Amino acid sequence: MIYIIKFLYSFVLPPGLFILVMVGLVIWLWRRARKPAFILLVVTLLLYGSSTNWVGDLLISSLEKQYPQPHAVQGDIIVVLGGGATEGTPDINGQGNLLGSAANRLLTAVRLHEATGLPILFSGGQVFGDSGNEANIAQRQLLGLGIPAKDILVENRSLNTQQNAVYTSQILKQHQFTKPILVTSAFHMPRAALEFQRAGMQAVPYPTDYLASENLSLYAAKLSPSAGAMATTGTALKEYLGILALKLK
């Protein structure tokens, strides 16, 4: 009963509510103008599909499986890519927090540091006027987690993945690091690895922050529309477009 309620409830809020409205318009148009009704039906089905976890998980999983997480790593520095931050929000030892993906990447880097003793370089600047400077926030949080200052490097200028790679490459060359272990979200790794290759670095991929389970199952909740599922679909499509743009350069 709980799952039935959850499924029905998904059509009360956007995007489910919008899908219901569009279905109603399709039915209303069908007897008046078949061609516009058919076009609207196709758009409605595309909107519905893109807003389900079934489609979102399939797309994001196809990215996440391209680079398996290694059982052991060999390198001389851990490079972590940012993924968003807030400015002025309260934290235990200051102001500003990393968003979910960035925080998961940072946690993985800390655990790798504890296992290997390698230094950490966090890459990410202030992307928007009201967002936090990711590398500066990460540096404060790393210090708060007990990572020695001598083992922390920051690249706090980059605004996208391409700049992550270019600016990080410059810092690594200055400090004579040659084999970075690249930590970023699994869905982001294919594009990030390409950018680092273009910047002249052969990084060791260490994906983390997985969004889809290893073994996907189909059940009713996977077919209910949600804003979160639509965001996952959008994230996957963004990554594929970015990869295509890189390969066409």
Side-chain angles (χ1 to χ4, degrees):
M1 187 64 181
I2 293 176
Y3 296 110
I4 294 175
I5 293 174
K6 285 180 177 291
F7 182 81
L8 295 176
Y9 189 71
S10 66
F11 288 92
V12 175
L13 298 173
L17 178 61
F18 299 150
I19 292 169
L20 280 182
V21 171
M22 292 173 72
V23 168
L25 287 174
V26 169
I27 295 172
W28 181 77
L29 276 173
W30 194 256
R31 292 184 178 181
R32 294 165 176 80
R34 289 289 177 92
K35 186 174 181 180
F38 181 77
I39 294 173
L40 182 59
L41 176 61
V42 172
V43 173
T44 302
L45 291 174
L46 288 173
L47 176 62
Y48 169 68
S50 65
S51 66
T52 64
N53 280 305
W54 176 241
V55 172
D57 285 354
L58 285 175
L59 288 172
I60 211 74
S61 178
S62 65
L63 289 164
E64 293 182 337
K65 290 181 177 179
Q66 292 186 29
Y67 286 90
Q69 190 178 90
H71 297 294
V73 292
Q74 292 183 341
D76 52 12
I77 189 169
I78 302 162
V79 174
V80 193
L81 303 188
T86 57
E87 183 180 35
T89 51
D91 194 10
I92 291 175
N93 62 349
Q95 297 288 316
N97 287 273
L98 297 178
L99 297 184
S101 288
N104 287 339
R105 299 171 191 180
L106 186 72
L107 177 60
T108 297
V110 171
R111 296 172 69 185
L112 282 175
H113 170 80
E114 292 175 348
T116 64
L118 296 176
I120 298 173
L121 185 154
F122 195 100
S123 174
Q126 183 172 349
V127 180
F128 302 107
D130 59 350
S131 62
N133 188 291
E134 298 179 44
N136 292 347
I137 292 171
Q139 181 181 37
R140 172 174 53 77
Q141 293 185 337
L142 287 170
L143 290 170
L145 290 169
I147 308 298
K150 65 180 181 61
D151 289 335
I152 303 173
L153 294 172
V154 295
E155 182 287 294
N156 58 9
R157 297 184 297 151
S158 57
L159 304 179
N160 57 27
T161 306
Q162 180 184 24
Q163 292 182 3
N164 284 145
V166 172
Y167 296 156
T168 294
S169 175
Q170 295 171 358
I171 294 175
L172 295 186
K173 289 177 182 177
Q174 291 172 6
H175 291 83
Q176 298 182 334
F177 291 113
T178 59
K179 196 172 183 181
I181 300 168
L182 181 60
V183 176
T184 190
S185 298
F187 66 81
H188 184 232
M189 185 60 76
R191 183 160 62 96
L194 281 175
E195 290 286 13
F196 272 71
Q197 288 174 14
R198 291 175 65 88
M201 291 176 288
Q202 292 300 318
V204 178
Y206 199 95
T208 187
D209 183 44
Y210 291 84
L211 298 182
S213 297
E214 177 68 19
N215 298 312
L216 298 178
S217 300
L218 178 60
Y219 42 87
K222 283 287 184 76
L223 298 177
S224 61
S226 72
M230 182 169 282
T232 299
T233 299
T235 296
L237 293 177
K238 173 189 173 185
E239 292 301 316
Y240 273 117
L241 285 174
I243 291 169
L244 177 62
L246 274 173
K247 291 184 176 180
L248 291 177
K249 282 185 179 180

